[in-house]
Structure formats: C-alpha cells, structure tokens
Amino acid sequence: AGSGQLRLSSRRVGSVCLSVGRSVSMATVEVRGAFAAMGMSLKDEQSTALALRVGKVLGIASMEELAEEYEVFHINRGETGTVVTAELLGAFRDHLQSERAKEKSKLGKGNGWHTYTKFDLDDVAVGSFGVSATRAMGKKRVSGGGNNANNKVGAKKAGVADDKAFTIHSSFPYDGADGEAGGGAKRQAADVPELQPSKKSQFGKRANSGATFSSLAVGKAGAADAMAPRGDGVATYKKPLDREGRGQIQSLLKGPGPDARFMFDTQESRQKLVEERMQRLVDLLEKDFGIVASNSVYNIANEPVVVVGRVCNDSAAGRINEASILIEGTAAHSQGMKVRLDTSKLKSLTLFPGQVVAVEGINPSGHCITALSVLTGIPQQKPKLASLAEKGGSGAEQRSRKIAVASGPFTVSDDFSFEPLKALVETASKDSLDLLVLCGPFVDKDHPLVRKGEMDITFEDVFKHCCDTFARLPPATRVVLVPSVRDVHHDPVFPQPAFRAQRLGIDSHQPAPLCVSNPAMVACKGLSIGATSHDILKHLSATELHRQAPAGTGPAATGQTLDRMSRLALHLLQQRTFYPLSPQAPGTCLDSKLALETGALFMPATPDVLVLPSDLNPFAKEVVVAPTMHAREGHESVFAKSKCAEALAGGSCVCINPGRLAKASTGGTFSTLVLSQEGQLEKVDITRI
C-alpha cells in the first residue's frame, strides 16, 4: 500500500510539472510571436524569460501590448537592429518604471482638492458609487436615494466611510429643474469665474464712448431708389422669421438647414460651383443683351470675340500680377482649359483670383488672349419689397426707425463677461431700436481662454450666457443672429446653418432672437439687408490687382470712380455672390457641394444695405450698383454698344463695415441705420461703443 501511494504521488507531481511546462511553453511562444509581429526577435532563452518577467512586474496583460511598448522604446532609443537582447530589455524595464514613477509624482502634487466638471460628477455619483447626487451651488453631497443601507455599503466599498462625509467641490453648477440626478439649481454666472469681468480688462476705462467714428448721409439717388419700383423675378424666396410680429421680418435667402451634411466636398463639386458662376454670366449676356459669349478661350481668333472665364494666377503662391494672369474657360465650351490674358492695352484694370469676367479680345495664337475690353460682372436687380408708405402703416408706425448692426467678438479678450454686448444692449434700449443685427463670432475660437482650453464650462453654456443679455431689451426690439465659422460651438462650414433655437436658452416669455444662416439676406420695413460674417474684404484686399488710368487720359472705365473699400464691396455685388474669391483664404471652410445644393452662396438680389464685417477700418459707403468695364483707349466695346451699364443700373447700395464691437481688452465700434417714416434709409452712423 505504501508503494502504491508513492507511485500515485509521483504521477501527480509529474502531471503538475507537465502542465507548468506546457503553460511556460505557451507563454514563450506567445511572447516570441508578439515580438515577431513587430519585426523583431528575442535573442535567447534568457531574453525570453526576462521579457515575460518584465510584463508580469509592470502589469502588462498581453504580450502584444508589451511588444508595442518596446517598439516605441526601441525607436526612440535609436536602435537599428532587430534582435532584442537581455540588456535592452533591462533598459526597457528601467525606462517604464521611471516613467510610471514620474506620473505618480505628478498625481501626488497639489492641495488635495480636485475641481470636478459636471461630466466628472455624473461618473462619480452614478458610475462609481451607484447613488444619486444632490447638487447645490457651493457643495455637492452625494446622498442615497431609496435604499440607504445599500448606498452606504457601496460608499464603503469605494473607500468612503459614510455618504454624509463624502463631499465634492465644483466650480461649475448643474443645469436642471430639480435636485435629482440629472438636474440641479439653475446656473448662476456669479459662480463661474470665466463669466466675470476681469480686472485686466480696459473696457471700463475706454475713452470716447458714444463718439461718432464716421457718418454717411444717404444721397438723393439712394433715397429715391428706395421708393422706385423694384425689379421683378428676383428674391422669390420669402420666409417670415418673426411670426409674433406678423411676418414683418422676412428671410430672402434659403440657407442650409440644421441637418445639413458637410465635409463631403469633392473636386468635382468645386469645379461645378465655378462652372455654375461662369454659365450664369454666359446666359445673361446671350439672353438679355444678345452678346455671343459661348466662345472657347483657346480658339484662334483674329477678330474680336467675347469669352467668359474665371481669372486665375499661374502660380499657386504669390499675389497675382499682370504677367501672371490666366483665364479659365467653361467646361462646356473650353473644356476648362486656361490661356494667358494680356491686359497691357487696357487703360485701367481691377482683377482678383476667382473673378468671373467677360473679355472682348483677339487670340492669334490660341494661347494668349489680348484683351480690348473687360466686363467685371453684372449686379443683380433690387428685390421687390413694399415700403411702409406702400403698406399704409398706422400712425404708431409712422415714425423714424433705427437699426443697429454690430459684429463680434462681443467680449474682451480677458473674459467672457460680454461687457461690450451689454453696453450695446443698454444703448439699444435707450434709443428704442427696432432691429439689432449681430454677426458672429459670439464664442470665438481665437479667444485666449478658448485656445488655452482651461475653461470649466462648455461653449454652449457660454453662448447661452451671451443670449441671456437679450432679456434686457424691450419687447419691440428684435434681434437677428448671423453665425460665424469662428464660432467654436457651431458648425464650421460656409455656407453655414443658423443657430439651433434650443441652444439659445431664452425664457419662453421673451421674444426669441431670429436665427439666420451665414450668409443671410433679410427684409425689414421695406429695407433689404444682406450680411456675411466672413472677412471677405480683408481676403480680397490681400489678392486684388488694381491699376488706375494715367492722369490726363480720360475716364479709366465706364462707371464710377471708387475708393478702395467701395471697390472691394462692389466686387461682391457684381459677382452676385457673398464669396467670389478662389482659391479661398485659409479658414474659409467653404463647402462647394453644400453651396450648390442650397444656392446659399449666391445673392438672390442686390440688397439696400450690405453688411461686411472686417478687421479693416470701419466705414459706410454708398456704392452705385452698375457694371464696370475696362477698355483700350479709343476702342468702342461691344459691352458699351449693348448698353449693359445703362440697362442694369440698379440705384445704389450702402455697404457697411461696422468694425468689431470688442478689440482685444477694450471696446470697438458698431453701426446705426436711421430710416425715415416712409422706410427710406437716410443716415448711417458708426459709433464707438
């Protein structure tokens, strides 16, 4: 019996040794396979055993993870071989232990307190302890709901002796209607440091507050144009924005909807957008003026012909000059080919990349068009709107109207207290404004606090805090919000959808702001206003090629003599689009596919007022809406014979750059439009906030 028991024990010991050997063999195969997958091999049994020991000591569960960690160490160390030795594994072990020790030392530093965000509180209260959180303004005490005994047990398991002793301090209160999980006391701006005025801010010490920066008296032509019959067939889209105000404010431009899909742009859609712009000018010249404009840019022509194309630069980098001008023809008539454009014979010239023009010239070689005259675009007609006089307004409505226009940023660079916006709202209440048009950005991505990423508050909550300011306005003052691609809380695409109404955070008893797209065109009291928050003036100014006619040679071109700002603004009216530049400036976020699907990039009509916020100097200019033609001296252009300028002269358009409401740590400027009792625009003032 004793020998039998001895033989049985020997078998058990042998089986145990066999299982251990098999597990060791499987681990060896696994670690060698993991390193082989990375293109490396373990040198010998010693290195294999050390690799297994390193993974066990450092708590690395899988051999694949161990091999990946070692590969990073191997590359950073500068090793070029593929054989892993025991010495290298020892250095790898020491490196990982040193890195983990540094991480632990960083976590150990501090004052013992951690400021939780609302997302952390959800994880702590529900995920870790399984209890509901009672949220207050200063302290957050986690208390049990329902079974208190179970909650205490869960707290003890998490290392907390009692739920009464467990307190979380947070600088960010919760939103909600009650104190249960998922709700809490309403957020108070006084408890969020980022929303308080900074001591560094110079806004309260600003000088010349309320002073007039510049003023424009709209001429008789502009005033008469407001009463003149408007063109038919334009601005057919009209959507009431203020249903509470009986549709007195309408949108004339159909922008992208809230569910618009973007970031699906393709090279084909970009080309289609350019083709659409060129084909519209071809159809206009041929159908309305009888000018044959569907000629190819590369056909040999010894007699003057008219071609339509897009101005391009022969270099991807650098500013366009007269030696680098190319013209790209339409895909339908020129297969999208480009030829050189010689403009040396023209007395004057104004071109920029992306501009769609009609060129009258000759092309003896098929490779270069010598321009005899250039038509730089034809503006749209004015929309057909009924003025207050035509509507027969009541006696209460027969009074002077005021509209204020301002552009962001609306807060100084030191905080998000929105002190400049509050000052503007106070001015609007004092002057009894009828309409307040605000162009973004509202929560600027370039704000120092946003760039640092140290805010313990969401961008949506900052925007809601901004909209809370509108509650101080009188009910008769309506607010129109135009977003910007610089708004960090909104979709960064152009054309841009309007703000979501549910994100505004306005009380139900307050008139909600009217949200429109970017770009936008609205009509109010018989006055049409077009606006975009893009700094297109600055972009055009950096790329435009302009040459004036020599002194004493007569008028440079048919049309008006314009200053630089008026000329840049007129480009948009002549090109019939809110962003005619191509290629676009960095940060434009232009989505050609979305622009084609919605048509939101094209002007449905020439507005009475065109708002173009820019970092350039604020201005208000009255621009005569008419085509511009540059011609060779003594040459009678085919465009002049067809009387394009006379037939399409559409009165005037007041172009405004209101400036930025906040500049760094101090205030900026805004614009005020004064309308007569009949709804005619009489005066534009640019005022310091």
Side-chain angles (χ1 to χ4, degrees):
S3 60
Q5 291 177 357
L6 181 61
R7 285 194 299 270
L8 182 59
S9 300
S10 300
R11 289 177 183 176
R12 288 178 179 176
V13 171
S15 62
V16 170
C17 293
L18 182 61
S19 62
V20 171
R22 287 178 178 175
S23 63
V24 172
S25 177
M26 291 178 61
T28 301
V29 172
E30 185 179 357
V31 70
R32 286 180 177 175
F35 276 85
M38 298 296 170
M40 295 177 288
S41 61
L42 295 170
K43 183 178 180 180
D44 48 25
E45 294 295 333
Q46 181 184 1
S47 59
T48 303
L50 184 56
L52 291 171
R53 191 157 53 251
V54 169
K56 183 177 181 180
V57 170
L58 296 178
I60 301 177
S62 65
M63 295 297 105
E64 290 80 5
E65 183 181 353
L66 176 67
E68 291 174 359
E69 291 278 358
Y70 178 80
E71 183 187 27
V72 175
F73 166 78
H74 196 84
I75 295 173
N76 293 337
R77 186 182 170 93
E79 299 290 340
T80 57
T82 59
V83 178
V84 182
T85 63
E87 290 77 10
L88 289 174
L89 286 170
F92 169 61
R93 176 194 58 200
D94 297 339
H95 168 73
L96 283 186
Q97 289 177 342
S98 175
E99 290 295 322
R100 294 189 177 186
K102 290 180 181 179
E103 292 179 1
K104 289 183 179 180
S105 64
K106 289 181 180 179
L107 293 175
K109 294 180 180 180
N111 55 8
W113 290 98
H114 176 70
T115 302
Y116 285 87
T117 65
K118 64 178 182 179
F119 306 107
D120 296 325
L121 290 175
D122 288 335
D123 295 337
V124 170
V126 180
S128 300
F129 300 99
V131 294
S132 61
T134 300
R135 302 171 176 98
M137 295 304 300
K139 297 182 179 180
K140 313 258 187 299
R141 183 176 61 84
V142 178
S143 60
N147 192 343
N148 293 329
N150 292 338
N151 292 330
K152 291 182 180 180
V153 172
K156 289 179 180 179
K157 288 182 179 180
V160 181
D162 192 354
D163 64 324
K164 295 181 180 179
F166 178 63
T167 304
I168 300 176
H169 292 268
S170 173
S171 64
F172 187 77
Y174 267 73
D175 261 334
D178 51 36
E180 299 300 326
K186 186 177 180 180
R187 181 182 300 106
Q188 300 294 329
D191 298 287
V192 184
E194 292 86 357
L195 305 184
Q196 304 308 309
S198 173
K199 296 180 180 179
K200 301 179 182 179
S201 175
Q202 299 296 318
F203 182 76
K205 304 176 184 178
R206 66 192 185 280
N208 301 325
S209 175
T212 301
F213 181 84
S214 65
S215 182
L216 171 70
V218 180
K220 294 182 179 180
D225 177 66
M227 296 296 296
R230 307 300 177 95
D232 294 324
V234 294
T236 56
Y237 175 83
K238 294 180 181 179
K239 178 183 178 182
L241 295 176
D242 61 333
R243 302 187 183 278
E244 300 89 350
R246 302 185 303 277
Q248 294 182 354
I249 304 177
Q250 298 176 328
S251 174
L252 305 181
L253 180 63
K254 186 178 181 180
D259 56 346
R261 301 178 64 202
F262 57 97
M263 295 182 68
F264 293 91
D265 205 0
T266 61
Q267 187 63 38
E268 181 182 5
S269 61
R270 296 189 188 101
Q271 183 58 40
K272 284 184 178 180
L273 181 61
V274 174
E275 182 73 13
E276 176 69 17
R277 291 178 56 198
M278 292 189 291
Q279 194 59 46
R280 288 189 180 193
L281 182 56
V282 171
D283 295 341
L284 180 63
L285 292 174
E286 292 186 343
K287 294 179 181 179
D288 293 1
F289 302 102
I291 300 175
V292 179
S294 56
N295 298 296
S296 173
V297 297
Y298 57 80
N299 282 349
I300 296 177
N302 294 317
E303 296 294 329
V305 295
V306 175
V307 297
V308 171
R310 177 181 66 152
V311 175
C312 303
N313 191 354
D314 66 355
S315 175
R319 190 165 180 165
I320 191 172
N321 56 68
E322 291 200 57
S324 64
I325 303 175
L326 301 178
I327 183 168
E328 175 187 338
T330 62
H333 308 116
S334 304
Q335 288 73 50
M337 295 186 65
K338 301 176 183 178
V339 297
R340 190 165 297 280
L341 181 63
D342 180 10
T343 59
S344 58
K345 297 184 181 299
L346 302 179
K347 290 195 301 180
S348 62
L349 187 64
T350 301
L351 296 176
F352 62 88
Q355 185 180 23
V356 175
V357 297
V359 179
E360 179 191 12
I362 58 175
N363 189 0
S365 63
H367 303 289
C368 178
I369 297 177
T370 302
L372 303 177
S373 65
V374 174
L375 176 67
T376 58
I378 301 176
Q380 281 271 29
Q381 296 176 341
K382 290 291 188 72
K384 186 176 182 180
L385 300 172
S387 64
L388 288 178
E390 294 172 348
K391 288 182 178 180
S394 62
E397 293 182 346
Q398 292 295 326
R399 60 175 178 82
S400 297
R401 302 279 177 173
K402 284 188 177 182
I403 299 174
V405 180
S407 173
F410 295 98
T411 186
V412 294
S413 58
D414 302 307
D415 53 57
F416 273 108
S417 62
F418 293 97
E419 291 298 316
L421 180 60
K422 293 176 182 177
L424 178 63
V425 168
E426 183 180 351
T427 302
S429 302
K430 187 184 303 181
D431 296 344
S432 300
L433 295 182
D434 295 273
L435 187 65
L436 184 60
V437 180
L438 302 179
C439 302
F442 296 88
V443 187
D444 192 359
K445 69 177 182 64
D446 295 326
H447 194 283
L449 293 179
V450 174
R451 295 178 69 90
K452 290 179 182 178
E454 298 176 353
M455 297 173 57
D456 193 17
I457 182 172
T458 64
F459 301 133
E460 288 79 7
D461 287 319
V462 175
F463 182 56
K464 288 180 181 179
H465 175 64
C466 170
C467 294
D468 287 343
T469 310
F470 304 141
R472 307 179 184 183
L473 288 169
T477 302
R478 303 311 306 270
V479 181
V480 175
L481 303 182
V482 182
S484 169
V485 295
R486 287 166 54 183
D487 277 312
V488 72
H489 67 289
H490 196 46
D491 300 332
V493 63
F494 187 74
Q496 192 173 20
F499 289 128
R500 279 78 167 174
Q502 61 270 22
R503 293 187 179 180
L504 301 181
I506 300 296
D507 296 334
S508 58
H509 65 276
Q510 289 287 342
L514 309 176
C515 301
V516 295
S517 60
N518 175 32
M521 186 175 291
V522 298
C524 177
K525 311 294 185 181
L527 187 76
S528 58
I529 303 174
T532 177
S533 56
H534 255 323
D535 196 347
I536 180 60
L537 294 178
K538 188 176 181 180
H539 297 170
L540 284 174
S541 178
T543 57
E544 185 196 37
L545 167 64
H546 177 68
R547 171 167 56 84
Q548 292 183 345
T553 59
T558 58
Q560 54 194 318
T561 302
L562 299 173
D563 59 275
R564 178 166 167 259
M565 291 296 102
S566 300
R567 188 178 66 247
L568 294 176
L570 183 60
H571 286 321
L572 275 70
L573 300 175
Q574 292 180 342
Q575 294 293 301
R576 301 186 173 196
T577 176
F578 284 97
Y579 200 93
L581 188 63
S582 178
Q584 298 79 30
T588 304
C589 304
L590 177 64
D591 193 307
S592 302
K593 185 176 182 180
L594 186 61
L596 281 171
E597 292 174 352
T598 60
L601 206 62
F602 298 99
M603 288 188 183
T606 296
D608 297 312
V609 178
L610 182 60
V611 181
L612 303 173
S614 175
D615 293 332
L616 303 178
N617 286 334
F619 67 84
K621 305 285 185 180
E622 186 177 3
V623 181
V624 177
V625 181
T628 301
M629 288 172 281
H630 305 273
R632 186 184 68 177
E633 187 173 5
H635 174 72
E636 187 178 5
S637 171
V638 64
F639 307 120
K641 292 179 182 178
S642 62
K643 298 182 179 180
C644 292
E646 291 80 356
L648 291 176
S652 64
C653 174
V654 177
C655 301
I656 302 173
N657 171 22
R660 306 296 184 184
L661 192 66
K663 294 184 177 180
S665 61
T666 186
T669 56
F670 69 97
S671 179
T672 305
L673 285 63
V674 181
L675 283 68
S676 67
Q677 295 181 358
E678 294 79 14
Q680 301 176 17
L681 182 59
E682 293 182 335
K683 186 180 180 182
V684 179
D685 291 328
I686 296 180
T687 311
R688 300 184 188 275
I689 189 61

